[in-house]
Amino acid sequence: QGPGGQGHKLWHRYCPAGKEGKCKFQTQRWGHAHPTWTFWAVPFLGRWLRRNFRDEYLPAEGDKKALRVIDVKEDEDLLNVGTWEDGGTKQWCKFDLPDPTEFQTVIKEQPLQRGGQRTCKQGMCGDIGGDPKWHKEGVAKVFYTAHHAVDPAQTKRYLDQLRETEKKKILAPPILFHNKFFANSEELKKAFPELKCII
């Protein structure tokens, strides 16, 4: 289960069999509260804010238990509930990495393979953990942004190091999956066509 833990009211709706069963009403893996959207998402955001502000209930439907929307306390939780209720299935690869220290992986000089592709041999080379239902082979890391960048001096150091590494032409490409770096989503999809996360 995700945040909120076992017994959290939202799980009673999406995982009616509890710990022993599958979450059959969950349409995608739990998404962290690092959302991005275009103007097309405004109706979705407005609908779920309205349901929260008006203290609405999601009605019981078959095995799905009723859920009072205001009982979904966190923004991250509500975005997941809304996505599952609306049948959402698109999910980003991990573009907002957990901590700025992850960027050491692209700053360090990584070896080139025969075809010119960089491989990850030092730093945090592992993928984001997989799961048996949504992302069996793991999730690609994308070095676009860093979450928890709360120390301005540390952030400046990493930005300076990124700039210097790029000047030396040794900065690794921004997408990492299975210890290989990719310059863009097309390269990633060509190498791993079954990968479900998007970038």
Side-chain angles (χ1 to χ4, degrees):
Q1 297 185 6
Q6 185 177 357
H8 191 285
K9 291 182 179 168
L10 70 89
W11 294 113
H12 294 294
R13 182 170 177 84
Y14 301 100
C15 308
K19 198 166 122 179
E20 305 307 316
K22 294 182 178 170
C23 297
K24 66 181 183 176
F25 299 117
Q26 186 179 348
T27 61
Q28 68 178 22
R29 184 174 171 162
W30 184 269
H32 292 133
H34 313 158
T36 60
W37 55 75
T38 66
F39 67 91
W40 294 106
V42 171
F44 167 84
L45 295 168
R47 184 169 54 256
W48 286 96
L49 280 172
R50 183 206 71 219
R51 286 178 172 157
N52 184 275
F53 292 155
R54 289 187 179 173
D55 193 13
E56 294 181 15
Y57 281 79
L58 301 177
E61 301 170 19
D63 288 346
K64 265 188 179 179
K65 294 188 174 156
L67 177 66
R68 185 179 181 191
V69 176
I70 206 164
D71 285 340
V72 182
K73 303 286 186 195
E74 301 288 331
D75 58 339
E76 181 173 296
D77 299 13
L78 187 60
L79 286 167
N80 279 283
V81 166
T83 300
W84 301 337
E85 285 293 321
D86 288 0
T89 57
K90 287 184 182 175
Q91 196 160 37
W92 289 119
C93 297
K94 187 67 173 158
F95 72 88
D96 190 32
L97 298 174
D99 193 82
T101 56
E102 294 256 3
F103 276 80
Q104 282 295 334
T105 308
V106 290
I107 290 169
K108 293 180 179 191
E109 188 169 359
Q110 301 287 2
L112 283 171
Q113 285 186 319
R114 203 175 293 164
Q117 184 176 32
R118 289 205 184 273
T119 57
C120 193
K121 297 292 182 191
Q122 51 185 329
M124 297 179 193
C125 296
D127 303 326
I128 299 296
D131 59 80
K133 186 172 183 180
W134 309 108
H135 302 283
K136 292 180 177 147
E137 292 190 40
V139 176
K141 288 182 184 176
V142 185
F143 294 84
Y144 286 173
T145 66
H147 193 66
H148 194 67
V150 295
D151 179 351
Q154 180 193 49
T155 299
K156 184 181 182 320
R157 258 192 327 274
Y158 280 116
L159 290 171
D160 290 345
Q161 288 174 348
L162 283 165
R163 216 173 286 116
E164 193 58 36
T165 307
E166 188 173 31
K167 272 187 206 169
K168 292 178 182 174
K169 307 267 190 237
I170 57 170
L171 184 65
I175 301 171
L176 175 63
F177 191 57
H178 288 358
N179 293 327
K180 292 187 174 121
F181 288 98
F182 301 91
N184 53 50
S185 61
E186 290 78 19
E187 283 184 12
L188 177 66
K189 273 296 189 193
K190 185 176 178 188
F192 297 97
E194 301 300 313
L195 188 66
K196 288 186 177 177
C197 67
I198 57 174
I199 194 67

